[in-house]
């Protein structure tokens, strides 16, 4: 049976680890051909080795790319076109935690590095992928990884949160420009996802963070991968300029003044509060 992404050519940045790697393997299962891009060569090549072990021998390749450098992003797009003949999908997912600490002690160097890896990269990816997609004249899908940290406070450092908010804004604005060319531009805002970026090899230390959302399962890379496949597929052909939260209800839960979920006394028993009407 044909997959959701049958014969589409995709680039996935940050494909050497975490949700990027899971998305590479899922896109391959859905029939895509995938150029894995990452600054970490060992991990990127390991993703391709995993793909081969899963029987996707000729449909995955690796290119080393620093997504913050324009010449390298242009070369990444050219490598995908050279290897697979065209470009249908670009998932701009690579990222780091970036600068953290009090605002009074955040360095310009740390701030600029964070914005280079998280925002300049998305601008460069959109620029070069859209040029290629317009050349091939068969539409396309550009997806980025934002974060719930770009939507509300309290989820990331100052620099990280501001950078992810910029990704959401860029997604809306570029989507309107590219829509006439049938190139869709969307983003995913993950909640708390168990990847090396978050747990650094020790997931057991982050149980409290993994339990923050109302959904009882831990967020995993595969939860991002399946939504990414939908957003990049023709099933989502009328969806553009959108940022989709994939967070197990984390933001739906909101500020939880009365306590989250079952701890909320308003949810314990049915009734009506008539306010100051005098009715009991
Ligand atoms: N894990 C979470 O809870 C979470 C939540 C919201 C958003 N995100 C975002 O998801 C994306 C993927 O992160 P992850 O959690 O899978 O982390 P990860 O560390 O497992 O993977 C990130 C990958 O990006 C690569 N990378 C970093 N800088 C790069 C550069 N300059 N050029 C090319 N590649 C580079 C790394 O080598 C790594 O392979 C990031 O954009 C991150 O900000 C993560």
């Amino acid at each position: 049976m044909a997959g959701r992404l049958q014969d589409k050519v995709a680039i996935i940045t940050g494909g050497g680890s975490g949700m990027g790697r899971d998305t590479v393997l899922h896109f391959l299962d859905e029939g895509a051909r995938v150029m894995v891009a990452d600054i970490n060569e060992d991990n990127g090549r390991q993703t391709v080795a995993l793909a081969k072990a899963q029987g996707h021998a000729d449909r995955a390749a690796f290119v080393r790319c620093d997504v913050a450098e324009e010449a390298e992003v242009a070369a990444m797009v050219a490598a995908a076109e050279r290897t697979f003949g065209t470009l249908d999908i670009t998932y701009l997912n690579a990222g780091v935690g970036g600068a953290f600490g009090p605002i009074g002690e955040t360095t310009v160097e740390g701030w600029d590095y964070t914005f280079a890896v998280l925002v300049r990269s998305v601008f460069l990816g959109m620029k070069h992928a859209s040029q290629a997609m317009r050349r091939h004249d068969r539409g396309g899908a550009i997806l980025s990884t934002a974060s719930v940290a770009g939507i509300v406070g309290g989820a990331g450092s100052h620099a990280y949160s501001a950078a992810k908010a910029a990704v959401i804004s860029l997604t809306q604005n570029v989507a309107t420009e590219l829509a006439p060319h049938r190139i869709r531009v969307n983003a995913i805002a993950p909640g708390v996802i168990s990847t090396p970026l978050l747990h650094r090899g020790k997931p057991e230390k982050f149980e409290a963070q993994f339990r923050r959302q109302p959904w009882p399962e831990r967020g995993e890379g595969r939860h991002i991968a399946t939504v990414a496949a939908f957003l990049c597929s023709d099933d989502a052909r009328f969806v553009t300029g959108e940022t989709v939260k994939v967070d197990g209800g984390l933001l739906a839960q909101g500020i939880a003044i009365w306590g989250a979920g079952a701890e909320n006394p308003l949810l314990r028993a049915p009734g009506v509060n008539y306010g100051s009407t005098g009715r009991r």
Side-chain angles (χ1 to χ4, degrees), residues 2-70:
R4 202 192 269 278
L5 302 175
Q6 200 62 43
D7 298 329
K8 302 261 192 207
V9 172
I11 294 171
I12 300 180
T13 73
S17 179
M19 57 184 85
R21 173 176 283 174
D22 284 349
T23 305
V24 169
L25 298 175
H26 183 65
F27 274 30
L28 289 164
D29 284 344
E30 290 285 2
R33 290 170 286 165
V34 183
M35 180 58 72
V36 180
D38 207 292
I39 200 168
N40 186 325
E41 239 177 292
D42 287 348
N43 286 352
R45 291 195 189 285
Q46 207 186 333
T47 298
V48 174
L50 282 171
K52 292 196 170 153
Q54 290 186 14
H56 301 301
D58 301 324
R59 293 197 290 119
F62 172 73
V63 61
R64 187 201 173 277
C65 174
D66 180 344
V67 293
E69 297 299 326
E70 181 156 24

Side-chain angles (χ1 to χ4, degrees), residues 253 255-269:
Q253 180 174 263
I255 55 179
I257 291 179
W258 302 100
E263 292 160 28
N264 181 350
L266 297 176
L267 301 181
R268 264 185 220 138

Side-chain angles (χ1 to χ4, degrees), residues 118-129:
L118 297 182
V119 187
R120 192 202 295 161
S121 63
V122 172
F123 147 59
L124 291 174
M126 289 176 174
K127 175 177 173 177
H128 289 279

